Amino acid sequence: MIHHLYIKDFAVIDELDLEFGPDLNLLTGETGSGKSIIVDAIGIALGERADSDTIRSGCEKALVEAVLDVDCSPDALKCLEDAGFSPDEGRMIVSREVQRNGKSQCRINGRQATVSLLKEITDHLVDAYGQHEHQYLLQSERHLGVLDAWCGGEIDVLRSDVAADHAEFRRLQAELRQLQSDERERARSIDLYKFQVEEITSANLSPGEEDELLADRNRLANAEKLHAATSTALDLLTERSDESCTSDTLGEAVMALQGISGLDEQLQPAVESLQSALYMIQDAVRDLRSYRDGIEFNPDRLTAVDDRLDLIRGLKRKYGETIEDILKYGSELDMKLESLVHSDERSAELRGEIDRVESAAMSSAEKLSKLRRLGAAVFAHAVEGELGSLNMPDAVFQVSQVSKALDASGIDKVEFLISANPGEPPRPLAKIASGGEMSRVMLAIKSAMSAVDSMTTLIFDEVDVGVGGRTAEVIGQKLVALAEKAQVLCITHLPQVASRPGEHFSIAKHLCEGRTVVRVRKLSHDERVQEIARMLGGIKLTDTAVQHAREMLSE
């Protein structure tokens, strides 16, 4: 249900704030007054495509906001919560902003959201039928979806099974075609993969090896510098002959102070610091001597390390930026090679899997076809009943169901047929010439669907076009009946429809500061009388038209 709609700077609407009732909402106005613009704005709030052409001239952006009830639709609520959104007291607040630079923003309950998510949610809440929407009935490929939606229940489960099995069937077929595509290409790939796998394997790489080799190379290439520097350091610390070395001097200082440290306790920290320094120097001397003695002067080893690094660099140019990447690539090549080498076995395995999946899909599709045939007869009877009440008592409505090749929807091609006149054989809906008849057929199907339809809001944009008289009254009754099960928003030119019980909004264009704007007023009872009288009598309101309008409203 749409509780509230706010529109700003959209087409010729400068600003509009509407609150709809829970039952029947009637929108009337002269042709070109902007009624369908409001429906377009609702469509954008529901996730339809929006572009900068919808922005009011002279403005930088357009804004459409809507408050919708989601608590009454478990499917919509699940979509909302699965996406991490929580309803606000059972309601969803939607905001769509379209900017002049082509960018747009979509928000749900104040948080950024994708338009596709919004569309997924609102598809469970609102069903919109424009003044040309009955054209979808002319597309026979859509009839199967209508029938399945009406049948529901086990059909939904079976159709889901068929779709899943068919998708797996196509995936397996694609894999088999890939294996059989080109034997010469397969042979070339096997040779290439074998060479590459052998090149990587024979290198016997280890993770982290390159860093270790670089460190080794650095030591080997700078062995003389390292030896000279450590020797100088050791000489300064322990082996100078011309004067006392650092460690000897430090030792003598410690001995001198230890003899008098008992005389004054303030000397003790200095003694301990010198003692620690002596120990650290002695440790450093041992480490330096060990390091110096271990320095390797080995040109052959340096050459071997350089060769190994060159090998690794060559492999990195071919297979990856790091040794880990090279090893991963080699593992992937190994798997590809295994698959190609054993493709004959895999082909046989795939054929078996294809047969199994196709058999499962066909089994589900045959069950689905039987249920559709049973449901089609009941559906056709229900639609015929609705057509009879819409002043087409002799209409014959049938559901044609013929076999086709298995696809994601099953093995059935479904098309709706109708005979509007006695003695005429049923023909496809596309053969019906009258727009009024198409409107009634669409409304009859929607009325029949209402028993199983979970939609909370139905929008009808001039679906009563081409009808009048008694048929118009019946359409009004049908809309009232639908409004007992769902919220209905109806744009109409027919006084027989506009006089039905519900909220009535008048839409008109006005000139404001030299610019055209759309204004909407919720009508009181007396204002409804005037509006319906206008619809009955045209520009000049007569007493007869006003009296007739009062009678229509009182009925």
Side-chain angles (χ1 to χ4, degrees), residues 44-64:
I44 288 178
L46 300 178
E48 297 296 337
R49 181 177 176 272
D51 55 50
S52 58
D53 292 339
T54 61
I55 301 174
R56 189 168 183 249
S57 176
C59 300
E60 289 303 312
K61 62 183 180 181
L63 176 66
V64 180

Side-chain angles (χ1 to χ4, degrees), residues 75-87:
D75 291 333
L77 192 59
K78 184 177 186 302
C79 288
L80 188 67
E81 292 177 342
D82 286 350
F85 292 85
S86 299

